[in-house]
Amino acid sequence: MLMQVQNNPALKDALEQLLKMSKIRAIDMAFADFVYSEESALDNSDRECLTMLAAYVSAQTGEQHSCINVESLGQPFSGVYHFPEAKILQSYIEKALTFANVAATVSNLDENTAKPLVLQNGKLYLQRYWQYESQLAAIIREKAAKILDLDLASAQILLSDLFEEQQSSLDWQKIAVCIAASQTLSFITGGPGTGKTTTVTKLLALLQGLAAKKGKVLNIQLVAPTGKAAARLTESISAAKQKLPTDLQTNLPEQCQTIHRLLGAKPQSPYFKANASHPLHLDVLVLDEASMVDLPLMAKLFAALPKDAQIILLGDQDQLASVETGSVLSDICAASHFQDKHLQNEHSNGESLDSTLMAYSETMQQHLAKLLCVPNLEVVTTATTDQSVIQDNVVRLIKSHRFGENSGIGQLAKQVKAGQVARCLSLLNNDQFSDINWYQPTQTSPQTVASEILKTLITQLLPIYKQYTQAIQQGDLRQAFQYLHQQQVLCAQKSGYWGVTQLNVLIESELHKQGLIDNSKDFYVGRPVMLSKNDHQLKLFNGDVGIVMPDPNNVALTKVWFVTPEGELRGLLPSRLPSLETLYAMTIHKSQGSEFESVYLCLPPITANNQGRGLNRELIYTGLTRAKKKFGLFGESKALSLSLGQQCVRGSGLSERLLR
């Protein structure tokens, strides 16, 4: 309820109108009211302006932006309120009590600058996000500057055991291992199938091998943002480990845990047991699916690292950004300039980039030439306008070992990343690739379209669901989990036509008609579920997948069964579980960190009401690349074209903080 603004009827009406228009939320109104009450010494027009500015900044954090750019603010409240130009806004901020205008070099606030809103480098933040961003950048800068003193002779021997010699071109996985082994901070990025897990497994073998030469064993920890992503990394690392020479498999970790579990989550608290004052006990940390980690969590993770610990981040910068505030991995990769250089076709003397390491500094190029035993490797001098402090810390793996030239999924993923609408439509309409299919509705109304899509979708899903229900009937839970993970329906949104809620109900109803399930009870046998909240006491986390089945020791007792990180089956009574959802369909956001043999992606119809809100190319790319062997797209060309034409760009100052 507005307490102070109600004394200004015009401002009160404007805020309420913005609320009705969904431009701001109730919490944004409350924050605006607070700013209005604190700025009573200002002239009325100045006070109103800062109140509306506060409402907008708060609203933008709800859209996962870390900050707003005051200089390019524009008129986000057009028709309701008109903001003055940036210079005038800046003059208002300088007089305000609730805004701090700090110099570019400031990374900590004192009692005079600890204000609810912080302006720095033309960007306006809520204080907590300014703190997260500035603190994370400071730790990244500190770690990026640390070069490790490697035993080159020993490293060269280990590298020759881990990698086959390549004659024609550089092995970028080997380069990634060399770069990460030489520094306390590294980022290994790349799309699915580019070998990130294989690379990091070889890296860990190298690090343990070098430590063994000194009579030491490194404490290496593996983490991921979700339980699903952790389980997949556990499986992938275990498989990759078996391919290493036997003597290099020693002391390599296999079990991965969630970030929350590693840091020691506190119930009902945003803080963790591990922090800057109580750092983690480890030598090396590997973080998988880094694109999923939001700004606050990444800042807390980095703050809890021991001073000399190595950290290696793995991820795909082209995937969707985190569900919560920030786009950390994307910002870091943008700051490195690596992509700009690596994707050029030729450098100045016309030689292929594959024969050079021009993305890196001359010092790093010379170091890699020694490690790789390529004394004649050309060292290229490159000039950039903005020198990055993490120029030598980022490697992007390009070559896909999963999707070859004959893979429709791989070809489509390239065009989606590039936003090439015409080429994407051509690939989907072409019968050249058997692993991608496009099911376009022929009906027009949302109701008939949904019915048509459902009929086609069920035809695709039924064979696996018949095997799934057969495994359930036989009491073979492990087999049921395998079938469940073979295919997945993904939706761009949770509600509305073709949203998760609707499709879960419709698919469930169709399976009931087919006699495969009896959904007369909420927790019916065979119901697949996904947790939507964490329960740290039960060691269950948002995104964990379960199946409803009777307890084999007491068939009258229905439980929800999960596979633990150790691979064991664990059954819990439904009443003990936090919030959960049926899992015939899930959002693309929820699918991050997972892979399926077959993926069926449903795009909502574009209507006057939704106008494709939330659709973008990162969404399509993420859903598409969850598929390993088969991808089906259900939707209209209008929805696909609109998605590919929009990118998810979040307000952030992190990239700028990583420039010299």
Side-chain angles (χ1 to χ4, degrees), residues 148-158 210 213-214 371:
L148 301 177
D149 184 18
L150 284 186
D151 178 346
L152 285 178
S154 297
Q156 288 167 347
I157 294 171
L158 289 167
L210 291 171
K213 298 283 185 182
K214 300 177 181 178
L371 261 181

Side-chain angles (χ1 to χ4, degrees), residues 288-342:
D288 195 21
E289 297 292 351
S291 65
M292 297 173 63
V293 184
D294 58 65
L295 174 63
L297 184 56
M298 191 73 84
K300 291 168 186 175
L301 177 63
F302 268 68
L305 290 173
K307 189 173 182 180
D308 296 322
Q310 281 182 271
I311 179 168
I312 302 103
L313 283 78
L314 311 177
D316 185 349
Q317 69 189 74
D318 296 309
Q319 278 193 34
L320 279 167
S322 55
V323 175
E324 300 299 333
T325 303
S327 49
V328 178
L329 182 64
S330 178
D331 291 342
I332 288 169
C333 291
S336 74
H337 299 303
F338 182 86
Q339 182 176 3
D340 296 337
K341 296 174 184 174
H342 193 75

Side-chain angles (χ1 to χ4, degrees), residues 365-421:
Q365 291 180 56
Q366 292 164 354
H367 173 70
L368 290 173
K370 294 177 184 177
L371 261 181
L372 297 167
C373 298
V374 189
N376 297 322
L377 188 73
E378 178 188 8
V379 175
V380 180
T381 302
T382 59
T384 56
T385 304
D386 298 313
Q387 288 293 318
S388 170
V389 300
I390 55 169
Q391 178 183 5
D392 292 336
N393 302 83
V394 178
V395 181
R396 185 170 190 184
L397 304 177
I398 303 294
K399 183 180 179 181
S400 176
H401 302 276
R402 180 187 303 168
F403 304 127
E405 291 300 316
N406 296 321
S407 165
I409 295 173
Q411 295 298 320
L412 185 58
K414 289 179 184 178
Q415 303 307 325
V416 168
K417 280 197 298 183
Q420 295 292 330
V421 178

Side-chain angles (χ1 to χ4, degrees), residues 405-408 411 426-436:
E405 291 300 316
N406 296 321
S407 165
Q411 295 298 320
S426 176
L427 282 170
L428 287 165
N429 280 315
N430 198 321
D431 294 332
Q432 178 183 357
F433 300 106
S434 60
D435 58 338
I436 55 175

